[in-house]
Amino acid sequence: MDYFHYVGDRLYCEEVPLDDLAQTVGTPFYCYSERTLLRHLKAFQQAFAGVPSLICYSVKANSTLAVLDSLVRQGAGLDIVSGGELARGRRVGCPAERIVFSGVGKSEAEIRAALEYGILMFNVESPSELRRIDRIAGQMGIKAPVALRINPDVDPQTHPYISTGMSRNKFGIPHRQAMAIYREAMRLPHVSPIGLDCHIGSQLTTVEPFVEAVRRVRLLVDELRAAGVPLRYLDLGGGLGIPYGRGESPPLPDLYAQAMLKELEGLPLILILEPGRVIVGNAGVLVARVEYVKEGDEKRFVITDAGMNDLMRPALYDAYHSILPLERQFDREERTVDVVGPICETTDFFARDRLLPEFREGELLAVRSAGAYGFSMSSNYNSRPRPPEVMVRGDRFAVVRPRESLDQLMAGESAFPEG
Ligand SMILES: *Cc1c(COP(=O)(O)O)cnc(C)c1O
């Protein structure tokens, strides 16, 4: 459920017409609905309200400060995967005790910065990382709170590029090594193993893989507790999918929560959840203008001023995004087209062989469900300045990041110095 909708023939975000925004900021641009963001967060918080729990929004889905600020004010914690994301969390004033740090390749500097801030815990992905954290915490004269990220080896039945919980994936510690590595963590002087973590993948559209993973994890938690590991937190990761408009109907947060809580009954641990996509995905659109319509021999191409550098999910995952005209017309013919960008790559497309209302040159369109892994994955490829981001709150809006200028595009660069 989101707040992008037609009023008459014009597409609105909450109470603001998107074509008005296009006039003000130019195209392409991202637009986020704050009400949608907060609604999704609240749905998650309420679904787990019956048990001690903390919702740590996964920053990598959309790390824009305005998004983080809205969510943190509403009580969200943050799941970070880099020192840069830690800095963003600090910038919006996220309390340290609401931050967890995931990722397979944490650098020394990142670990030190997180320890200095005093985060809730590290989700540790290898024995080497565990020893590195122990050593750095030792130098600082403190003890680092850690969870081990366990790879439960279940198939999340999603796109292979966003599967993380199978034994062939680089993520986590193999299930059967867990006990030995927890024992090592108990012996190390400067880490305290207080949690267990797992995250099996992204854009899951059924609960079964989650249930299978949580069953395996529960057995392991029971074993670890019996062996005297002082676990206090169970982090179930993120991964709940969203409807992209191709008939998916992923479980709502409520149903997902019920399925998880049923498996965890009687377990006296604080639950942590790391939703990303399900919070921001359908809270954002990418608005673009049709530059040209070109009739090929085999296909008709609608060429927009947004490209794969702005939204790379179709290029990266062959992802589906629905596309809407900003001005609806009921008598319009439909055409099968490819909607493509200006980038010099064949993977630069937003839709392929898609039946859409006939778009004319100069017209505006919205690529839906672009709030997650949209701007946060954008780049300057083809030396294109990144688009602005606008946030809407009711009938007001703010440009929360201006369009990049050409000076910003080349900032800090220089030719090799003479002499
Ligand atoms: C990416 C990621 C998430 C968020 O995944 P979504 O599918 O966006 O919910 C959560 N936890 C970890 C460790 C991740 O890498």
Side-chain angles (χ1 to χ4, degrees), residues 10-262:
R10 294 167 88 195
L11 188 60
Y12 276 61
C13 174
E14 301 187 16
E15 284 125 61
V16 177
L18 287 169
D19 52 6
D20 279 0
L21 292 180
Q23 286 243 313
T24 310
V25 302
T27 53
F29 69 94
Y30 275 96
C31 175
Y32 307 123
S33 154
E34 189 190 46
R35 192 183 293 162
T36 308
L37 270 183
L38 295 179
R39 179 192 170 102
H40 292 164
L41 175 62
K42 280 180 204 154
F44 234 88
Q45 289 171 327
Q46 281 163 12
F48 287 95
V51 297
S53 56
L54 175 63
I55 311 297
C56 290
Y57 164 70
S58 177
V59 175
K60 76 181 194 289
N62 184 323
S63 52
T64 297
L65 291 177
V67 169
L68 301 184
D69 182 65
S70 295
L71 295 173
V72 166
R73 277 168 195 273
Q74 194 62 51
L78 300 176
D79 167 40
I80 60 168
V81 293
S82 72
E85 290 188 353
L86 175 66
R88 287 178 173 276
R90 294 182 69 152
R91 180 69 68 86
V92 300
C94 183
E97 64 274 12
R98 297 205 310 236
I99 296 181
V100 296
F101 192 169
S102 305
V104 293
K106 302 176 191 77
S107 72
E108 299 216 358
E110 288 174 327
I111 290 168
R112 193 165 281 116
L115 284 171
E116 274 162 9
Y117 194 47
I119 63 163
L120 179 65
M121 66 183 190
F122 292 87
N123 289 333
V124 173
E125 304 224 14
S126 65
S128 302
E129 181 192 334
L130 182 69
R131 291 167 205 144
R132 177 180 277 185
I133 293 174
D134 178 68
R135 180 169 48 75
I136 297 170
Q139 289 161 1
M140 295 170 67
I142 54 177
K143 228 171 147 111
V146 300
L148 298 191
R149 175 170 176 181
I150 302 303
N151 184 327
D153 192 22
V154 301
D155 183 353
Q157 292 171 4
T158 182
H159 190 282
Y161 287 7
I162 48 178
S163 294
T164 59
M166 294 195 278
S167 56
R168 71 171 83 110
N169 301 131
K170 71 178 175 183
F171 298 98
I173 289 168
H175 195 262
R176 62 186 167 72
Q177 298 176 19
M179 182 62 84
I181 300 173
Y182 270 103
R183 290 222 157 91
E184 175 171 1
M186 304 251 283
R187 285 194 303 272
L188 290 172
H190 299 289
V191 294
S192 32
I194 57 164
L196 188 144
D197 167 51
C198 94
H199 168 75
I200 59 172
S202 198
Q203 185 52 15
L204 274 71
T205 51
T206 62
V207 290
E208 285 75 26
F210 287 118
V211 170
E212 200 185 325
V214 81
R215 280 192 185 142
R216 291 193 190 184
V217 158
R218 164 104 211 218
L219 290 174
L220 185 58
V221 166
D222 290 341
E223 259 178 72
L224 292 166
R225 282 163 48 87
V229 183
L231 296 180
R232 282 166 45 211
Y233 297 96
L234 176 58
D235 184 338
L236 295 178
L240 192 58
I242 60 169
Y244 276 99
R246 197 158 43 171
E248 314 91 334
S249 52
L252 293 175
D254 233 12
L255 200 130
Y256 163 76
Q258 280 167 26
M260 297 297 99
L261 294 177
K262 186 162 154 252

